[in-house]
């Protein structure tokens, strides 16, 4: 018997329900995954709200760490007792246990504990492809990171600093500014009190940044356009506010022949080789100390609805974990 979150209609956090589920033995190519910690991510709220449509009813959550407790026929490379983690694409990480395809798992190095894995795998692999593949700033380049004190933001700042970029972070409070600076941001902007683009241009002697990483969406789109320098890149990787819609491509020309990409994690982790290499790079960055993972808050797993409320109200910092009771 497992406890698992489900939702049968889209909407606010109140649509999350908890049910008891009988689990069949793992099928061919599957393992039984017993959850130790689940990571909360903004994409979970997109699924719940219907921004990213899913077939209903649906499980919720992508990221989790745990232990293999049984294996199905044909499974190779994993055995009972293995410490593992996943970032999907299967939804359902808000569960005490479930059956998963073995191919969706990553083995954990001994140095990576369960909380770190659940806090870092999806966010850290996101930071990896954002910093090193979607747009790779050169050493000395100024870059702008929106939501700099969030789960992805804090990891991304450290990653960018490690490859030599100079980071400006937008944050909502002085406490979050301190977190962003501790992670390596040279400058922070309080977006509620300051005009983002004006400050960016002042910091960069009028040139603007080489790359803007925007996980907010509609609310920051204009600021991203006005902050990015000639022939720069806006990497629009999330919709924490709302999706960017109705954009005329000519705006990219008038703002300095800008580039814009809307990448997703799974297009950069599409093959076994990409998955292996990307996760290995993440573990390397954590083991070296270049990236430190901040767990800002932990909730009992069945308090997931409150965790969603706090995340959407921007009351959280760093990574958020849901812990089975």
């Amino acid at each position: 018997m497992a406890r698992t979150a489900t939702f049968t209609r889209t909407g606010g956090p109140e649509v999350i329900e908890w049910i008891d589920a009988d689990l069949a033995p793992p099928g061919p190519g599957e393992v039984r995954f017993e959850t130790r910690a689940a990571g909360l991510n903004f994409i979970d709220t997109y699924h719940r709200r219907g921004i990213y449509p899913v077939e209903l009813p649906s499980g919720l959550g992508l990221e989790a760490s745990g232990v293999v407790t049984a294996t199905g026929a044909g499974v190779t490379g994993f055995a009972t007792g293995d410490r593992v983690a996943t970032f999907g694409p299967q939804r359902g990480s808000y569960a005490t246990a479930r059956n998963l395809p073995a191919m969706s798992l990553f083995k954990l190095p001994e140095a990576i504990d369960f909380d770190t894995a659940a806090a870092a795998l999806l966010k850290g692999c996101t930071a990896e492809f954002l910093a090193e593949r979607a747009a790779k700033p050169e050493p000395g380049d100024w870059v702008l990171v929106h939501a700099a004190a969030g789960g992805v933001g804090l990891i991304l700042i450290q990653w960018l600093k490690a490859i030599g970029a100079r980071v400006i972070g937008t944050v909502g409070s002085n406490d979050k500014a301190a977190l962003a600076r501790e992670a390596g941001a040279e400058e922070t902007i309080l977006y509620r009190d300051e005009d983002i683009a004006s400050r960016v241009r002042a910091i960069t002697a009028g040139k603007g940044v080489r790359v803007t990483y925007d996980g907010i969406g509609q609310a920051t789109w204009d600021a991203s356009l006005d902050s990015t320098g000639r022939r720069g890149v806006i990497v629009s990787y999330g919709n924490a506010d709302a999706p960017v819609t109705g954009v005329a491509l000519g705006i990219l020309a008038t703002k300095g022949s800008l580039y814009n990409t809307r990448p997703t994690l799974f297009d950069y982790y599409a093959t076994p080789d990409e998955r292996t290499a990307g996760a290995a790079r993440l573990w390397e960055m954590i083991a070296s100390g270049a990236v430190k993972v901040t767990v800002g808050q932990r909730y009992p797993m069945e308090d997931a609805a409150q965790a969603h409320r706090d995340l959407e109200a921007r009351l959280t910092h760093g990574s958020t974990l849901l812990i089975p009771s």
Side-chain angles (χ1 to χ4, degrees):
M1 186 73 70
R3 288 286 286 172
T4 185
T6 186
F7 64 108
T8 60
R9 57 190 174 89
T10 58
E14 69 279 358
V15 304
I16 302 172
E17 302 175 55
W18 288 89
I19 60 173
D20 292 320
D22 289 321
L23 295 179
E30 291 185 334
V31 305
R32 173 68 54 80
F33 178 95
E34 187 175 284
T35 307
R36 293 290 185 270
L40 174 64
N41 294 281
F42 257 105
I43 194 172
D44 305 347
T45 70
Y46 305 161
H47 291 147
R48 190 205 75 224
R49 293 161 58 193
I51 292 174
Y52 292 174
V54 298
E55 185 176 347
L56 300 176
S58 174
L60 194 57
L62 295 172
E63 184 180 37
S65 63
V67 176
V68 174
T69 58
T71 60
V75 171
T76 59
F78 295 95
T80 298
D82 281 350
R83 301 167 63 254
V84 294
T86 182
F87 58 43
Q90 297 80 17
R91 293 177 302 282
S93 66
Y94 299 6
T96 57
R98 55 188 172 137
N99 293 332
L100 282 174
M103 66 182 296
S104 70
L105 301 178
F106 298 86
K107 279 191 177 180
L108 297 184
E110 286 302 318
I112 305 296
D113 61 44
F114 290 119
D115 280 10
T116 298
L121 184 60
L122 188 149
K123 301 170 191 68
C125 289
T126 298
E128 179 274 322
F129 89 78
L130 290 176
E132 301 201 347
R133 293 189 278 157
K136 186 171 183 179
E138 297 294 328
D141 283 347
W142 279 107
V143 301
L144 176 64
V145 175
H146 289 296
V152 173
L154 289 176
I155 295 174
L156 181 58
I157 289 171
Q158 295 174 79
W159 208 299
L160 291 164
K161 182 182 178 183
I163 63 175
R166 307 179 70 184
V167 180
I168 304 167
T170 69
V171 293
S173 68
N174 287 319
D175 289 345
K176 291 188 176 184
L179 290 171
R181 287 181 177 275
E182 184 179 345
E186 291 188 39
E187 300 281 352
T188 55
I189 299 171
L190 297 173
Y191 66 83
R192 292 189 176 98
D193 303 328
E194 305 172 88
D195 181 78
I196 293 171
S198 295
R199 276 290 316 282
V200 167
R201 294 287 174 169
I203 292 166
T204 61
K207 294 181 179 179
V209 295
R210 178 62 185 161
V211 181
T212 294
Y213 293 102
D214 191 342
I216 302 298
Q218 188 65 50
T220 46
W221 173 244
D222 286 340
S224 294
L225 286 169
D226 290 337
S227 298
T228 307
R230 183 176 289 118
R231 299 196 305 274
V233 184
I234 301 173
V235 183
S236 303
Y237 69 93
N239 315 303
D241 170 64
V244 177
T245 59
V247 175
L249 289 180
I251 194 69
L252 300 175
T254 65
K255 296 297 182 178
S257 297
L258 305 182
Y259 297 83
N260 177 235
T261 181
R262 181 60 178 88
T264 67
L265 175 69
F266 296 109
D267 284 329
Y268 282 83
Y269 282 75
T271 69
D273 286 348
E274 288 174 342
R275 290 168 60 84
T276 299
R281 179 72 170 130
L282 172 61
W283 305 141
E284 173 191 337
M285 291 289 276
I286 293 174
S288 72
V291 167
K292 295 180 174 62
V293 179
T294 300
V295 178
Q297 43 282 311
R298 293 173 174 84
Y299 297 78
M301 184 170 278
E302 294 200 28
D303 287 348
Q306 186 59 49
H308 275 227
R309 292 186 188 97
D310 292 347
L311 179 68
E312 291 178 297
R314 302 188 186 183
L315 299 177
T316 65
H317 69 275
S319 297
T320 299
L321 296 181
L322 305 177
I323 308 298
S325 57

